Amino acid sequence: MWLVEEAKKNMPVELDFLNEGHNAEKVAGMLAHFPFLKVPMIHWDLSTKRILTMEFVDGGQINDKDYMKKHGINVNEISENLGKMYSEMIFVHGFVHCDPHPGNVLVRKCAHSKKSEIALLDHGLYQALIRGDMSGVERYSLRLGAGELYPLFACVVTSRSWTAVNAGISSVPVTSSEDVEIRNDAAQYLPQISQLLNRVPRQMLLLLKTNDLLRSIETILQTRSSSSHKRSKAQSMRRHLQITLAESLNLWRLSMYELFLWVSSSTVGHWLTTLLPFLHIGH
């Protein structure tokens, strides 16, 4: 019933094409600093709640490796840019395109710049909205309502096996045997998965769906890999060091962001927020 209720609420929103047009314009402005992103323009004079007229954008589906090879499009560059785009939507703006299946995400070479572009279609439904720290996994999963099903929740969020989550997903590369294990577990624990999805905040359902679609694209493009896997493929000590430093920098950024969020939500953060206007007036 939770799935029926969610669909009942979201379907009218998705079918209001004026809403979709406004979402498209919002995300285009929000991510205008990404030169690789193309969002079709809306022809408002030819649009209604039942008809949306948009700029025509051609291209190949983002999971079409043959199209990319034919047009000289770098799959790793596309995968990286897709990650940048969605990370900013989720973690910076809290305004997320929640339907990135291949039919809604096209790739092409720009006719003018000759650079690769990602075209994002279908803006009907947006929603506001990881080492082996098991106590942290349990704590944050409980906050999101997972309860005693927190191990399952961690696996759903990361699309990794419980073995990999325990070891730390950044240190364990994805293997074909792990993918088989995940598929088998998904079938075995289907009732528990349904129970879990009924517990978490409704916004999480769309983010989990978005996460799965993005991982599926990465898997098809064969760009889904961990830092440890990249290190194992490094052909020089310099490249090995570059990967290690990049991973350390990203982990430091995440730690700083977590600290910022903690301070912002703490009593000290509220006190500083209240005090800053008075300090400004004093100057």
Side-chain angles (χ1 to χ4, degrees):
M1 287 308 299
W2 62 262
L3 184 56
V4 173
E5 289 299 322
E6 195 63 19
K8 181 180 176 182
K9 181 182 71 177
N10 291 329
M11 285 291 281
V13 178
E14 286 207 69
L15 294 174
D16 182 348
F17 294 145
L18 291 179
N19 177 68
E20 177 174 345
H22 290 304
N23 283 339
E25 287 193 337
K26 181 173 180 177
V27 81
M30 196 171 74
L31 302 180
H33 56 287
F34 287 142
F36 57 79
L37 175 62
K38 171 66 178 177
V39 178
M41 292 188 304
I42 310 298
H43 295 281
W44 290 110
D45 56 325
L46 299 173
S47 298
T48 70
K49 290 187 70 171
R50 293 290 173 262
I51 299 173
L52 183 66
T53 307
M54 308 173 72
E55 170 191 6
F56 177 74
V57 177
D58 61 348
Q61 292 191 356
I62 197 165
N63 62 344
D64 190 341
K65 290 183 69 178
D66 291 336
Y67 176 90
M68 293 195 211
K69 184 177 181 180
K70 180 180 177 180
H71 291 83
I73 297 173
N74 187 316
V75 294
N76 290 300
E77 179 188 344
I78 292 295
S79 183
E80 182 179 350
N81 287 340
L82 190 66
K84 287 179 182 177
M85 189 170 75
Y86 269 88
S87 294
E88 178 139 342
M89 281 193 279
I90 293 170
F91 299 113
V92 177
H93 300 285
F95 189 75
V96 186
H97 180 285
C98 288
D99 203 13
H101 67 75
N104 283 341
V105 189
L106 305 182
V107 293
R108 66 177 192 170
K109 281 279 189 177
C110 176
H112 302 294
S113 67
K114 303 302 180 184
K115 293 183 178 180
S116 300
E117 287 185 338
I118 296 174
L120 195 59
L121 313 179
D122 191 353
H123 301 263
L125 189 58
Y126 279 75
Q127 277 287 354
L129 233 182
I130 271 183
R131 302 174 186 175
D133 179 7
M134 294 290 71
S135 62
V137 169
E138 180 177 2
R139 182 169 66 255
Y140 293 120
S141 298
L142 289 173
R143 287 187 188 178
L144 287 168
E148 74 281 1
L149 296 175
Y150 74 88
L152 185 58
F153 182 72
C155 294
V156 169
V157 169
T158 61
S159 296
R160 301 295 301 272
S161 68
W162 181 238
T163 303
V165 173
N166 267 283
I169 61 172
S170 64
S171 60
V172 181
V174 179
T175 62
S176 56
S177 61
E178 184 185 3
D179 285 338
V180 172
E181 180 185 351
I182 291 170
R183 283 197 295 272
N184 292 337
D185 286 348
Q188 181 179 351
Y189 295 108
L190 189 58
Q192 290 87 345
I193 292 172
S194 180
Q195 182 185 356
L196 169 66
L197 296 178
N198 186 31
R199 290 182 181 184
V200 300
R202 289 294 168 257
Q203 292 91 340
M204 280 298 298
L205 297 177
L206 287 168
L207 288 182
L208 290 172
K209 172 194 170 188
T210 302
N211 190 45
D212 280 345
L213 288 168
L214 292 173
R215 288 183 184 276
S216 174
I217 290 170
E218 288 179 342
T219 300
I220 293 170
L221 296 181
Q222 298 179 335
T223 57
R224 177 184 174 186
S225 60
S226 66
S227 296
S228 59
H229 179 66
K230 291 178 181 178
R231 275 194 293 269
S232 69
K233 298 293 183 180
Q235 297 182 351
S236 67
M237 183 60 69
R238 180 183 177 184
R239 179 59 182 154
H240 190 283
L241 182 60
Q242 285 178 333
I243 295 168
T244 302
L245 289 174
E247 181 185 30
S248 300
L249 178 60
N250 288 331
L251 289 173
W252 178 82
R253 285 173 174 168
L254 286 171
S255 298
M256 291 299 100
Y257 186 60
E258 185 177 11
L259 177 61
F260 167 75
L261 292 176
W262 176 81
V263 171
S264 298
S265 61
S266 67
T267 304
V268 175
H270 290 302
W271 179 80
L272 286 173
T273 303
T274 305
L275 186 61
L276 280 174
F278 293 100
L279 293 175
H280 181 72
I281 291 170
H283 287 292

